[in-house]
Amino acid sequence: MAMSLFTGCVQRDIPFNKNRNFWAHSSSVDDVNISDDNLTESEMMITEDGEENKMARIEFPESEYYRLARTGKGTIKGTIYVKDYYDRPILGASTRLYLNPVTSYSEQWYEESYLGGYKMQEADPRLFNYLKFTASDQNGNFAFYGVPSGSYYLIGTVKCGEECGYESTKNIRIATKVSVYGNQVVEQDLTRAVE
C-alpha cells in the first residue's frame, strides 16, 4: 500500500516493515525528494514524460542492501536550515527528512544529482524499504532514533521564498553524509547557504 503511494504501482514481492514509523510527526506536505523532481506524494503517482532524457541509475545493488543492519540504537539529531545572503538562518519548520544508507546506489545519486545537478530516472521502489524518515518541529529541530550502525545521507528540504531572494517559494534540498555506531548520539545540523 505504501509503495503505491510513492510509486503509483504495487509490487507484491517487496517486503515491507509495518512497524516502521515513516512519517513521524507529519504535519507538513513537504516533499520527500526521493525522485529528483521535487514531486509531492500525489504527483509521484503520475507517470512522468521524458524519463528517457534523465540520467540512468545503476542497477539496484540488492546484495549491498541485504547486508545492511535493519535495527539499531543510534540517534542522529540536529536542526535543518538554510543561510540567507546575510548569513541568517531560515529554519526548515515541520519538514520531512530522511536517512538514505550509503551504498553505490545512493552514492551515484549524491555525486550525479545532488552535487552534479543532473536529473535522474526514478529510484527503484525497493529503496523505500531501507529509508528512515522523521520530521522537524516548528524550530527546525529533528531526531532519528533507533538508527542502525552505518553511514547515511541525511536529506531534507527547506521552503524559502523572498527571504532567500526568490520571487516565489522554492524547496531547497540539503544533503550531507553522517555516520553513527552503536548507541552513539550524533549531533549533525543539515544546512547550506542560499545560492
Side-chain angles (χ1 to χ4, degrees), residues 26 31 63 112 167:
S26 63
D31 124 61
S63 61
E112 302 293 346
E167 290 181 14

Side-chain angles (χ1 to χ4, degrees), residues 101-160:
V102 174
T103 63
S104 60
Y105 196 74
S106 60
E107 283 177 340
Q108 182 200 25
W109 168 83
Y110 186 77
E111 295 292 329
E112 302 293 346
S113 180
Y114 182 70
L115 296 180
Y118 292 101
K119 298 278 187 193
M120 299 190 75
Q121 292 179 353
E122 191 172 322
D124 189 298
R126 291 173 288 183
L127 176 63
F128 288 90
N129 291 321
Y130 299 94
L131 303 178
K132 190 165 181 62
F133 294 89
T134 193
S136 62
D137 65 17
Q138 290 299 315
N139 297 313
N141 299 313
F142 65 87
F144 293 90
Y145 299 102
V147 181
S149 294
S151 294
Y152 300 87
Y153 289 111
L154 171 60
I155 305 163
T157 58
V158 174
K159 287 190 178 213
C160 200

